Amino acid sequence: MTYQRKEVIGNATLYLGDCLHILPTLAPVDHVISDPPYEDELHAAVGKFATLRNDGKSYASNRLTSFGFEGVNADRSAIAAECVRLSQGWVILFTLAEGVRAWRDDLQAVGAKYDTCLAWVKPDSTPRMNGQGAARGFECAVTAWCAPGHRSWNAGGKRGVYTHLVNNPERTGQHPTEKPRRLMAELVADFTKPAQVVCDPFMGSGTTGVAAVQAGRGFIGIERDHAHFNLACRRIEDAQRQGNLFMGDPA
């Protein structure tokens, strides 16, 4: 068996296991939207400076000493290949600025049409506490089109800049790289259509799944960490009960 556990929650199917083992067994979906591990360079720097936090409140206390997973460099090309094979529309993958070109090259190498780089602006991002240069104030997301013909999205000529607080009132604080629900809701609204299926191979605490099911999309999520998987199950189950409570309010 390629997965350790499978949960079906309404129109969401969640797998506990390694995405590189599970993705090849899945049938095509409409879109892939995910936040893979960061580049190895950032993983190597974690814990050296008080520039990362995991509680949303303190710069110095409770700082991360490890993300709990490896950097993406060694698996990037394999991840890109599976995402492109799976998607019949968009592939959207978060990355640091340092990883944009590498993701573009790997996505194009397996036939995707690279589109552009989105920016998630973080007004409350952590300052650079050693004062030796600028802090990271934004994160990137590469976008690539995997279907024949013209690209399709719902936002006309909108700029690909998304501004959302990291430490918002909905933040659980239980995952080191948790994305804001409103950020993911805005991406789902811009790039997907009702009843389409979104896959997140690096589900984490389930924020993409929450945004998808609240917007009336199907969802397939994969996560290998037991605690994060259990958290995602609870959050997505809650989102299924709430339905479209947050639809129309992604900002």
Side-chain angles (χ1 to χ4, degrees):
M1 185 177 293
T2 57
Y3 55 86
Q4 301 172 48
R5 181 175 152 203
K6 177 181 177 181
E7 296 287 343
V8 178
I9 306 171
N11 61 345
T13 301
L14 312 182
Y15 295 94
L16 175 64
D18 189 321
C19 70
L20 288 178
H21 298 155
I22 296 170
L23 287 173
T25 71
L26 300 181
V29 298
D30 295 292
H31 309 284
V32 174
I33 303 176
S34 194
D35 181 20
Y38 290 122
E39 283 63 41
D40 291 3
E41 294 82 354
L42 182 60
H43 282 253
V46 172
K48 293 183 179 179
F49 307 105
T51 56
L52 294 168
R53 59 192 180 192
N54 64 357
D55 62 359
K57 298 177 182 178
S58 173
Y59 294 122
S61 64
N62 299 321
R63 77 169 184 245
L64 292 173
T65 57
S66 169
F67 285 122
F69 45 83
E70 303 81 15
V72 75
N73 295 32
D75 293 326
R76 186 188 288 113
S77 60
I79 294 166
E82 281 304 318
C83 288
V84 172
R85 181 199 66 80
L86 194 65
S87 177
Q88 296 183 315
W90 290 103
V91 169
I92 302 174
L93 302 173
F94 282 88
T95 180
L96 301 179
E98 293 86 341
V100 170
R101 181 170 181 174
W103 277 115
R104 181 204 67 181
D105 291 349
D106 284 341
L107 290 165
Q108 289 184 152
V110 288
K113 300 174 185 175
Y114 180 78
D115 188 67
T116 193
C117 174
L118 309 177
W120 167 32
V121 177
K122 309 174 182 180
D124 62 338
S125 62
T126 307
R128 189 165 180 175
M129 303 304 290
N130 65 14
Q132 295 178 7
R136 296 180 186 271
F138 69 97
E139 196 167 317
C140 300
V142 296
T143 63
W145 181 249
C146 301
H150 296 293
R151 303 165 184 83
S152 174
W153 83 321
N154 306 317
K158 174 182 176 177
R159 295 172 178 85
V161 178
Y162 297 78
T163 303
H164 294 276
L165 297 174
V166 176
N167 299 296
N168 59 83
E170 297 178 30
R171 179 182 170 103
T172 71
Q174 298 180 54
H175 190 280
T177 62
E178 181 181 336
K179 294 293 181 287
R181 193 273 310 170
R182 292 188 176 198
L183 166 65
M184 303 315 297
E186 190 174 0
L187 289 174
V188 167
D190 285 352
F191 285 91
T192 77
K193 299 183 185 302
Q196 289 187 330
V197 177
V198 175
C199 178
D200 183 352
F202 299 91
M203 178 173 63
S205 61
T207 305
T208 301
V210 169
V213 302
Q214 286 177 340
R217 277 65 165 169
F219 179 71
I220 297 174
I222 304 171
E223 173 56 42
R224 72 179 191 181
D225 182 274
H226 286 76
H228 296 154
F229 181 84
N230 289 333
L231 175 60
C233 288
R234 293 195 298 271
R235 295 183 70 205
I236 290 170
E237 187 172 12
D238 288 344
Q240 293 278 8
R241 287 196 294 267
Q242 293 169 347
N244 63 355
L245 177 63
F246 295 105
M247 285 182 66
D249 180 32

